[in-house]
């Protein structure tokens, strides 16, 4: 394993205090921090001149790991070893020799009345407020590097929550109501030709058909969900939207066989529903409302199944093709590349071929002359479907590339060296010790050396240089919660899931024995994540 950093051993103390840390090796893993920037100084080129785009103390929410989205379109929409903290427990009590640039902590106190402490001179408004705690995206009590199962929650654009079958929330996106209105209008006009005696009531029948059709789509998505849960794959949510539905599965299948089954069960259930509706047609008269509804639902489910069996991502058929290529080559990435390019070819075919098939009458309608409103409608529908397929294929390629690089995100390589300080230690003295040790983080410990809090980097930067001798590090620290204590062995999706469970700006990284290893910054993980996305496969 390539690892950057020094030996990771606690530094022994000399007569004049801690010896400087050994320099980092020449190799730096993605996202690891350069040790040359002293703690308490602003970021260099990575921070815009105008200042950060978010409040200084707002916790960075770690980047979302990729999700496998099983969609149904028509149903379907795309969707270092860094040295450990120094562990001497009485370091804060020792007399330190001041450096040339840093004043002794006793000098400022000499100018201060005896009744005042370093904290007392700091105005309240100069202490940064505690950052708000966003709601965790996961439930449970994370800690010691153990990921917790995802918690169902309303995500951005989630829509209206309709229920939680099998514990998975089902949302209806606002775009669904637009499609329901369109289906009601189109199917209502068809009913006027088949059952003219209905009059205005035909639109109520059409609305019932729209709801029943999307209920069939929901059954299609539930098939994916049940299979995923059977394979121990967490499902974040199901969403019904403009062109169908999407099942957001948070992890990838472990084997090509499971991938094939997971993709195939959706179209299979649509075919089963088509058979059920066909059987129902035999029990009613064809010229009645039930007969027309059952016929429409049978045909629509056949279309859903056939469309999703097309062999291109992001359709279910594309995932089945991916599983087959994965099985043959032994490489999931090869399967993704093949299925994605077939999906892009399929998008071009839909864009050109669908309007021509409609105009020729090959899809069951009457042959039409080129031109007029029907031609424009066919072209618009083909363009929307082609765009969905093309975009979904591209997203699948990007997510596969990211999954290949996710293992490079390791807590061990991204963790910053830290030094322990007691709560009463002046900030200037704590920074002197950190810079002397080559560290870029501060951990507040109690008299027994046990970690209590983490000093936030943004809070340090916000304190002016001339105020630092009077500001204690305890006033700039965030108390440790169980979720902010993570294992040094975390990596990849497991690391991202654990950070998402307890959003914060910094995390204490510990060895399996409980010994302090260092501090992990959410900003470092975010930068490493972006680099992984940009790196070619």
């Amino acid at each position: 394993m390539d690892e950057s950093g020094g030996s990771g051993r606690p530094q022994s103390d000399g007569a004049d205090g801690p010896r400087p840390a050994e320099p980092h090796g020449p190799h730096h893993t993605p996202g690891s921090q350069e040790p040359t920037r002293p703690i308490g100084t602003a970021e260099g080129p990575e921070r815009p001149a105008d200042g950060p785009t978010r409040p200084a103390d707002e916790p960075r929410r770690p980047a979302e790991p990729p999700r496998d989205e099983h969609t149904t379109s028509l149903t379907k929409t795309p969707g270092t070893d860094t040295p450990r903290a120094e562990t001497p427990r009485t370091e804060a009590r020792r007399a330190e020799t001041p450096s040339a640039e840093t004043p002794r902590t006793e000098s400022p106190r000499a100018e201060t009345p005896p009744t005042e402490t370093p904290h007392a001179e700091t105005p309240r408004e100069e202490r940064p407020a505690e950052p708000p705690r966003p709601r965790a995206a996961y439930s449970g009590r994370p800690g010691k590097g153990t990921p917790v199962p995802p918690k169902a929650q309303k995500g951005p654009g989630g829509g209206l929550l309709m229920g939680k079958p099998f514990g998975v929330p089902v949302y209806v996106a606002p775009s669904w109501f637009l499609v329901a209105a369109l289906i009601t209008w189109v199917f209502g006009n068809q009913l006027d030709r088949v059952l003219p005696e209905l009059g205005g009531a035909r639109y109520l029948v059409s609305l019932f058909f729209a709801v029943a059709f999307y209920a069939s789509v929901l059954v299609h998505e539930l098939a994916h969900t049940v299979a995923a849960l059977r394979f121990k794959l967490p499902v974040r949510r199901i969403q019904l939207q403009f062109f169908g539905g999407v099942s957001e599965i948070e992890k990838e299948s472990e084997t090509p066989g499971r991938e094939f089954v997971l993709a195939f069960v959706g179209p299979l259930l649509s075919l089963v529903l088509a058979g059920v509706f066909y059987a129902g047609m035999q029990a009613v008269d064809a010229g009645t409302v039930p007969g027309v509804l059952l016929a429409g639902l049978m045909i629509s489910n056949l279309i859903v199944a056939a469309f999703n069996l097309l062999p291109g991502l992001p359709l279910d058929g594309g995932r089945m093709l991916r599983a087959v290529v994965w099985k043959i080559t032994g490489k999931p990435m090869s399967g993704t590349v093949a299925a994605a390019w077939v999906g892009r070819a399929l998008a071009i075919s839909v864009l050109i071929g669908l309007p021509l098939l409609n105009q020729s009458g090959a899809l069951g309608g009457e042959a039409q002359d080129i031109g007029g409103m029907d031609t424009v409608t066919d072209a618009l529908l083909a363009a929307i479907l082609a765009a969905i397929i093309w975009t979904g294929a591209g997203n699948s390629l990007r997510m596969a590339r990211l999954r290949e690089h996710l293992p490079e995100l390791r807590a061990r390589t991204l963790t910053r060296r830290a030094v322990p300080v007691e709560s009463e230690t002046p900030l200037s003295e704590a920074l002197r010790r950190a810079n002397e040790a080559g560290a870029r983080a501060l951990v507040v410990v109690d008299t027994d050396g046990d970690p209590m809090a983490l000093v936030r980097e943004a809070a340090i930067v916000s304190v002016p240089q001339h105020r630092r001798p009077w500001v204690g590090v305890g006033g700039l620290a965030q108390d440790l919660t169980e979720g902010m204590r993570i294992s040094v062995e975390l990596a990849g999706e497991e690391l991202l899931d654990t950070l998402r469970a307890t959003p914060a700006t910094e995390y204490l990284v510990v060895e399996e024995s409980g010994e302090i290893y260092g501090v992990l910054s959410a900003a470092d993980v975010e930068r490493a994540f972006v680099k992984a996305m940009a790196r070619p496969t």
Side-chain angles (χ1 to χ4, degrees):
M1 178 185 299
D2 289 337
E3 296 175 350
S4 65
S7 64
R9 303 292 183 188
Q11 304 294 322
S12 58
D13 297 337
D16 297 329
R19 291 205 302 262
E22 294 184 13
H24 285 258
H27 176 70
H28 296 282
T29 56
S32 59
Q33 299 301 309
E34 295 291 342
T36 55
R37 184 172 70 85
I39 186 174
T41 60
E43 288 278 359
E46 293 182 342
R47 179 167 295 178
D50 299 339
T53 58
R54 57 167 66 89
D57 290 337
E58 180 181 342
R60 289 176 180 261
R61 188 179 295 273
E64 293 268 353
R67 294 190 297 272
D68 287 333
E69 295 188 356
H70 283 268
T71 59
T72 305
S73 188
L74 199 49
T75 86
K76 223 167 251 267
T77 31
T80 217
D81 189 4
T82 306
R84 306 175 191 140
E86 301 184 23
T87 54
R89 298 184 175 182
T90 58
E91 187 179 2
R93 302 175 183 177
R94 291 200 307 266
E96 300 287 349
T97 303
S99 61
E101 309 81 48
T102 308
R104 292 178 59 91
T105 55
E106 291 81 7
S107 297
R109 293 183 183 181
E111 302 173 8
T112 306
T115 57
E116 295 185 0
T117 64
H119 281 289
E121 268 203 25
T122 305
R124 179 179 300 271
E125 58 272 10
E126 288 189 10
R127 296 183 182 177
E130 192 75 14
R133 293 273 185 90
R135 179 179 299 179
Y138 291 78
S139 62
R141 193 182 178 202
K144 302 297 184 185
T146 303
V148 293
K151 175 181 178 182
Q153 67 169 14
K154 179 178 177 180
L160 180 65
L161 178 63
M162 301 301 294
K164 293 185 178 181
F166 305 103
V168 178
V170 176
Y171 293 97
V172 174
S175 60
W176 177 86
F177 296 96
L178 176 62
V179 176
L182 180 62
I183 292 175
T184 300
W185 178 66
V186 173
F187 193 68
N189 291 338
Q190 293 178 349
L191 282 178
D192 191 31
R193 294 193 295 268
V194 178
L195 299 172
E197 65 275 9
L198 288 178
R202 67 181 183 273
Y203 292 109
L204 291 177
V205 177
S206 298
L207 179 60
F208 178 84
F209 171 79
V211 174
F213 169 70
Y214 268 86
S216 301
V217 172
L218 177 59
V219 171
H220 178 114
E221 296 303 330
L222 285 175
H224 291 309
T225 296
V226 172
L229 296 177
R230 176 74 175 175
F231 295 146
K232 309 299 182 184
L233 301 176
V235 182
R236 183 170 179 244
R237 67 179 179 180
I238 296 173
Q239 189 182 50
L240 301 179
Q241 45 192 229
F242 188 82
F243 264 97
V246 54
S247 302
E248 296 183 4
I249 301 174
E250 303 234 353
K251 292 186 181 296
E252 190 179 49
S253 300
E254 297 177 355
T255 65
R258 291 186 174 185
E259 174 79 354
F260 189 92
V261 171
L262 190 58
F264 180 63
V265 291
L268 177 62
L269 257 292
S270 294
L271 289 173
V272 170
L273 285 176
V276 170
F277 292 130
Y278 177 77
M281 289 173 55
Q282 309 310 309
V284 298
D285 295 333
T288 61
V289 171
V292 173
L293 285 176
L294 290 171
L297 290 172
M298 180 198 69
I299 294 173
S300 61
N301 277 276
L302 284 176
I303 294 174
V304 166
F307 187 78
N308 279 281
L309 286 173
L310 293 175
L313 286 174
L315 305 175
D316 292 330
R319 303 190 71 89
M320 294 162 63
L321 175 61
R322 174 182 182 269
V324 171
V325 178
W326 178 4
K327 180 67 174 179
I328 295 174
T329 63
K331 299 178 181 180
M333 186 63 186
S334 298
T336 301
V337 171
W341 279 106
V342 172
R344 287 175 169 175
L346 180 62
I348 297 175
S349 300
V350 169
L351 179 63
I352 299 173
L354 185 60
L356 295 178
L357 289 174
N358 278 340
Q359 291 167 8
S360 65
L363 297 181
E366 296 181 358
Q368 303 171 1
D369 295 331
I370 296 178
M373 192 63 186
D374 289 340
T375 302
V376 174
T377 303
D378 293 341
L380 180 61
L381 177 61
I384 294 174
L385 289 176
I388 290 174
I389 297 173
W390 183 279
T391 303
N395 288 340
S396 298
L397 277 176
R398 283 189 290 272
M399 290 301 100
R401 181 177 62 195
L402 175 59
R403 286 185 184 280
E404 283 202 333
H405 293 302
L406 268 184
E408 299 175 9
L409 299 180
R410 301 191 299 269
R412 185 177 293 277
T413 60
L414 295 173
T415 298
R416 300 178 178 184
R417 178 197 292 265
V419 294
V421 292
E422 294 189 351
S423 179
E424 300 82 7
T425 307
L427 178 58
S428 60
E429 171 64 15
L431 294 180
R432 187 190 68 79
R433 297 181 194 176
N435 294 332
E436 204 173 65
R440 292 194 57 208
L442 302 173
V443 179
V444 178
V445 298
D446 58 17
T447 55
D448 294 327
D450 296 325
M452 301 168 52
L454 300 178
V455 182
R456 294 164 293 154
E457 183 180 25
I460 294 175
V461 175
S462 67
V463 178
Q465 189 78 25
H466 68 280
R467 298 296 304 163
R468 293 178 178 181
W470 286 275
V471 178
V473 295
L476 306 175
Q478 180 178 5
D479 292 339
L480 279 173
T481 63
E482 188 62 23
M484 293 172 61
R485 189 188 304 260
I486 66 174
S487 169
V488 71
E489 302 299 334
L490 289 181
E493 289 190 49
E494 187 179 13
L495 172 62
L496 295 180
D497 288 346
T498 303
L499 300 191
R500 286 173 56 211
T502 307
T505 53
E506 286 91 11
Y507 299 84
L508 179 68
V509 182
V510 295
E511 297 278 12
E512 293 301 321
S513 62
E515 183 181 359
I516 297 175
Y517 184 81
V519 172
L520 178 65
S521 170
D524 294 344
V525 178
E526 183 179 342
R527 280 191 287 269
F529 185 89
V530 172
K531 289 180 181 179
M533 283 288 289
R535 191 176 301 110
T537 303

